[in-house]
């Protein structure tokens, strides 16, 4: 708790430096502006609102629940050409194709997930599962992720996330596939299923739990208030969740996000995303080494205005955090 040490992250096969004493040092660095509290419920200039025009000229329908549409500025497109052959092994390129979608959680801009009802959050989960199944029928990886707050790069004050489906396994997915496969081979049990059982028993880093789910600050956490959302049973993909598990997922997500907001009494920024077994051609393979999970990476460190910067040592050496996960 008081002395620096390194902790191993078995999911990424790397290490994080824990320097618990550093959080006591005085702070004279950049202060962030708290998020605005006067977001209008509907703004005709907000391209995510019902009835508003987007950059490509299309007008959103008067949607009343979730709303999914193609990203107007996609990072991946389905018809991108082959990059051509390389003339040297140090200058390799590969094809990268896919689709990018935006998903609005709710028609009101002044809401966030923790302020939505359980039924509304459940509708979000159902749409996530539908997209994962629909895009996963042909694409190997479907990344559902939410950037909440301007601090995390969110440019539109409206409850929404993004869904990128790719023709390849991204780096993090490829890494987690390898480490989970190796753990099952060596220990005979899926890594994150065993980890959830251990954390539920130890109760040192447990944040919230219910019958089907638990949320922990992982032993190897990098971000100050990073959490890992885990199912208690073996589940490979979002679309594999049954009705009861989707209801309890809505409940535990709401509880977790309310706690985040209450921590510094601010609408808490974060990046979150779901990781599950690959899809597309992998649907025909045994992916029993995978366990569905969601990562939450919040940047706030000391208060609503002081953030943890991942620079310098983190970029050039390895991840480092200023308080222990237990603290």
């Amino acid at each position: 708790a008081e002395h620096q040490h390194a902790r191993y992250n078995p999911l990424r096969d790397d290490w994080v430096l824990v320097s618990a004493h550093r959080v006591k040092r005085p702070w004279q660095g950049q202060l962030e502006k708290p998020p605005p509290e006067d977001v209008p419920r509907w703004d005709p200039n907000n391209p995510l609102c019902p009835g508003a025009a987007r950059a490509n000229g299309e007008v959103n329908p008067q949607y009343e629940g979730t709303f999914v549409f193609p990203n107007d500025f996609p990072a991946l497109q389905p018809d991108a050409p082959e990059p051509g052959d390389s003339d040297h092994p140090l200058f390799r390129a590969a094809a990268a194709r896919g689709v990018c979608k935006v998903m609005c959680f709710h028609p009101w801009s002044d809401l966030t997930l923790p302020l939505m009802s359980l039924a509304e959050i459940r509708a979000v989960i159902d749409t996530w599962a539908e997209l994962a199944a629909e895009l996963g029928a042909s694409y190997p990886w479907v990344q559902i992720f939410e950037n909440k707050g301007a601090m995390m790069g969110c440019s539109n004050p409206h409850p929404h996330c993004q869904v990128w489906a790719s023709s390849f396994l991204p780096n993090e997915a490829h890494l987690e596939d390898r480490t989970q496969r190796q753990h099952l081979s060596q220990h005979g049990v899926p890594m994150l299923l065993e980890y959830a059982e251990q954390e539920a028993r130890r109760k040192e880093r447990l944040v919230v739990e219910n019958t089907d789910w638990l949320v922990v600050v992982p032993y190897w956490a990098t971000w100050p208030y990073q959490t890992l959302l885990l199912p208690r049973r073996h589940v490979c993909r979002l679309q594999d969740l049954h009705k009861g598990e989707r209801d309890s997922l809505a409940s535990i997500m709401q509880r977790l996000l309310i706690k985040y907001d209450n921590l510094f009494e601010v609408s808490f920024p974060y990046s979150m995303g779901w990781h599950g077994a690959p899809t597309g051609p992998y649907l025909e393979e045994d992916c029993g080494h995978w366990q569905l999970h969601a990562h939450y990476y919040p940047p706030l460190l000391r208060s609503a205005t002081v953030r943890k910067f991942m620079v310098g040592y983190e970029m050039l050496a390895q991840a480092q955090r200023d308080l222990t996960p237990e603290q």
Side-chain angles (χ1 to χ4, degrees):
E2 292 294 329
H3 302 287
Q4 67 265 20
H5 59 281
R7 295 194 183 191
Y8 180 63
N9 180 347
L11 196 56
R12 299 196 74 258
D13 189 24
D14 64 9
W15 294 80
V16 55
L17 175 62
V18 181
S19 310
H21 56 284
R22 274 174 55 85
V23 80
K24 299 174 183 178
R25 75 192 193 281
W27 180 260
Q28 294 180 329
Q30 176 175 321
L31 297 179
E32 305 289 338
K33 291 182 179 180
E37 297 180 358
D38 57 346
V39 175
R41 179 155 292 182
W42 184 84
D43 181 354
N45 297 315
N46 187 331
L48 300 183
C49 283
R54 303 204 306 273
N56 63 358
E58 292 191 28
V59 177
N60 297 330
Q62 294 292 341
Y63 65 91
E64 297 181 351
T66 60
F67 170 52
V68 179
F69 62 93
N71 193 313
D72 297 328
F73 304 96
L76 293 164
Q77 296 176 320
D79 54 357
E82 292 282 345
D85 295 331
S86 169
D87 62 354
H88 193 281
L90 293 177
F91 298 90
R92 294 165 60 193
R97 300 185 180 94
V99 295
C100 298
K101 294 181 180 290
V102 176
M103 173 186 160
C104 295
F105 298 154
H106 195 281
W108 295 356
S109 293
D110 57 343
L111 286 188
T112 56
L113 276 172
L115 301 178
M116 289 165 54
S117 70
L118 288 176
E120 290 167 339
I121 298 173
R122 168 63 194 272
V124 169
I125 293 167
D126 287 340
T127 306
W128 279 344
E130 290 169 9
L131 287 168
E134 173 194 333
L135 297 172
S138 52
Y139 286 102
W141 189 254
V142 180
Q143 184 60 65
I144 298 168
F145 65 98
E146 178 193 5
N147 294 325
K148 178 172 178 265
M151 197 182 300
M152 299 309 288
C154 180
S155 57
N156 289 303
H158 192 93
H160 73 285
C161 73
Q162 298 189 54
V163 183
W164 293 13
S166 61
S167 62
F168 55 90
L169 285 189
N171 293 340
E172 291 295 311
H174 197 275
L175 184 56
E176 288 194 4
D177 184 71
R178 176 177 64 80
T179 58
Q180 290 180 96
R181 187 186 300 274
Q182 185 175 10
H183 187 92
L184 181 63
S185 174
Q186 293 178 349
H187 302 281
V189 61
M191 178 198 294
L192 291 181
L193 183 63
E194 181 178 13
Y195 179 68
E197 292 170 351
Q198 285 287 322
E199 289 286 28
R201 181 175 61 82
R202 295 169 186 253
K203 298 187 183 299
E204 295 176 57
R205 289 163 292 273
L206 195 58
V207 181
V208 284
E209 63 178 329
N210 61 24
T211 304
D212 301 311
W213 301 86
L214 71 159
V215 177
V216 301
V217 180
Y219 177 77
W220 53 81
T222 301
W223 292 93
Y225 296 97
Q226 175 180 338
T227 52
L228 186 62
L229 171 57
L230 296 163
R232 291 186 185 271
R233 78 170 177 97
H234 187 204
V235 185
C236 287
R237 301 177 177 94
L238 260 175
Q239 52 268 46
D240 298 336
L241 297 174
H242 58 61
K243 291 182 179 179
E245 289 170 328
R246 296 186 186 196
D247 287 336
S248 57
L249 175 57
S251 174
I252 204 165
M253 282 176 55
Q254 185 189 62
R255 290 170 61 199
L256 171 66
L257 296 176
I258 287 172
K259 287 181 180 294
Y260 271 141
D261 282 1
N262 287 344
L263 183 62
F264 294 134
E265 298 183 347
V266 66
S267 184
F268 212 80
Y270 59 75
S271 282
M272 74 81 66
W274 285 99
H275 282 173
T279 48
Y282 294 90
L283 292 171
E284 305 299 321
E285 298 183 9
D286 181 4
C287 290
H289 54 290
W290 269 91
Q291 175 74 327
L292 176 70
H293 58 283
H295 296 280
Y296 284 84
Y297 299 132
L300 294 181
L301 174 60
R302 299 160 178 256
S303 69
T305 60
V306 177
R307 68 179 297 176
K308 166 69 174 176
F309 288 93
M310 289 293 189
V311 295
Y313 191 87
E314 290 86 359
M315 284 183 169
L316 298 165
Q318 69 179 40
Q320 180 271 331
R321 59 177 292 128
D322 295 336
L323 71 166
T324 68
E326 296 75 29
Q327 288 170 313

